[in-house]
Amino acid sequence: MAQAGVPYAAVPRGSSDGRVHFSDEVHESDADVEDNGLFEHRETMEVADNDTLYYGMSLGTRRRMRKGRVFWATVVCLVVVSVVGIFWLYFDGINWMQRSKKRNVILMVSDGFGPASETMARNFVQQVHGLPVGYQSPLDEILVGSSRTRSSDSLVTDSAAGATAFSCRMKSYNGAIGVDPERMPCGTVLEAAKLQRNMATGLVVTSRITHATPGAFSAHVTHRDMEDLIAEYQIGNYSLGPMVDLMFGGGRCHFEAGPHVNS
């Protein structure tokens, strides 16, 4: 039996779940289907007319549809923003790499120099020149940090282990030249600069070029006293080839067959 007072007549379907469908036999009201009280419950409605399919749904179903649209719209926006961000970072990173190719890196190593030496020099200059108590030396003004200088096998490091820590970024035993505590070669910063960035590299020292500090940046031997072998590494006589383009220093005798009078 049709129900009066609604735009469409609700006709029992004859099923046990109480669902109904709509026919257009009765049109006594111009009100929209969504506005009448028939849809206050959350049961799913079936509609005979396809044009009224959306309005024949329960309020809960329609709310879920709207939330679903908002959700997927948000997902699409996030994906678009992420893709644009990735492309921007990628090309900006390339530009940074191109700009950074012209940069030079100079690492100065004061072998044996530490906070005690710095303090003595500061106090000496302050006393001799009558400077105020708060005087800061040029090194104080550029100090950005300090490092723990012990080696892997001793509280007191030597030049070899200290330089290996600088060149390979790892602690090793006293006497180690570019090798880890297990005596295996470790990649140096000079090798990375040459192989990964195609940069020109060099070593300039006031000691022998085969000494422990320059050796740890350019060779991989198990002990610092193996200076002849360090020289072989420095001229490129190993698997990676020449990694040092320029070398200034002493120790010529380690590059020749016999002792040299001017070495």
Side-chain angles (χ1 to χ4, degrees):
M1 179 176 179
Q3 177 181 353
V6 296
Y8 295 90
V11 181
R13 184 178 178 86
S15 61
S16 59
D17 58 4
R19 296 169 61 187
V20 297
H21 74 283
F22 294 90
S23 68
D24 53 0
E25 295 176 356
V26 180
H27 298 279
E28 296 182 4
S29 171
D30 292 330
D32 187 79
V33 177
E34 189 176 2
D35 296 331
N36 62 63
L38 184 63
F39 298 94
E40 293 179 356
H41 58 81
R42 294 184 178 272
E43 294 182 3
T44 305
M45 299 292 183
E46 288 184 358
V47 215
D49 189 351
N50 290 334
D51 293 337
T52 59
L53 178 61
Y54 176 78
Y55 292 104
M57 296 180 183
S58 66
L59 289 177
T61 301
R62 280 177 278 152
R63 290 193 185 107
R64 285 192 294 270
M65 289 181 63
R66 285 194 291 267
K67 290 180 180 178
R69 291 169 183 167
V70 173
F71 170 77
W72 286 113
T74 304
V75 170
V76 171
C77 291
L78 290 176
V79 170
V80 172
V81 171
S82 300
V83 171
V84 172
I86 290 173
F87 272 96
W88 182 84
L89 290 175
Y90 176 75
F91 289 108
D92 186 68
I94 290 179
N95 293 333
W96 182 87
M97 290 288 289
Q98 292 174 346
R99 293 194 303 270
S100 65
K101 287 181 179 179
K102 299 181 180 180
R103 294 184 178 181
N104 298 322
V105 179
I106 301 175
L107 174 63
M108 300 181 65
V109 180
S110 302
D111 199 348
F113 183 84
S117 304
E118 167 79 3
T119 300
M120 184 190 70
R122 184 191 309 107
N123 291 342
F124 177 80
V125 173
Q126 179 185 354
Q127 183 67 27
V128 169
H129 297 282
L131 299 174
V133 177
Y135 164 73
Q136 287 189 334
S137 70
L139 287 180
D140 290 326
E141 296 176 358
I142 63 175
L143 178 66
V144 295
S146 60
S147 62
R148 183 180 299 176
T149 56
R150 65 157 296 164
S151 63
S152 65
D153 65 347
S154 174
L155 290 174
V156 180
T157 190
D158 74 336
S159 300
T164 297
F166 287 143
S167 66
C168 292
R169 203 188 65 171
M170 67 169 56
K171 296 292 187 183
S172 195
Y173 59 91
N174 283 355
I177 299 294
V179 295
D180 63 18
E182 285 71 38
R183 291 171 166 73
M184 297 297 294
C186 55
T188 69
V189 65
L190 287 188
E191 292 169 346
K194 172 64 67 176
L195 297 176
Q196 299 179 11
R197 301 295 297 275
N198 196 29
M199 299 176 70
T201 59
L203 291 171
V204 179
V205 299
T206 56
S207 63
R208 298 185 305 278
I209 197 69
T210 53
H211 200 264
T213 299
F217 286 88
S218 55
H220 306 280
V221 300
T222 57
H223 199 273
R224 59 183 295 173
D225 290 340
M226 305 167 70
E227 295 191 44
D228 289 345
L229 185 55
I230 292 175
E232 291 187 32
Y233 274 90
Q234 290 175 335
I235 63 174
N237 189 20
Y238 74 117
S239 58
L240 296 182
M243 290 289 107
V244 185
D245 299 305
L246 174 70
M247 290 187 294
F248 283 166
R252 181 177 178 179
C253 63
H254 296 291
F255 296 88
E256 296 186 344
H260 195 278
V261 293
N262 294 324
S263 175

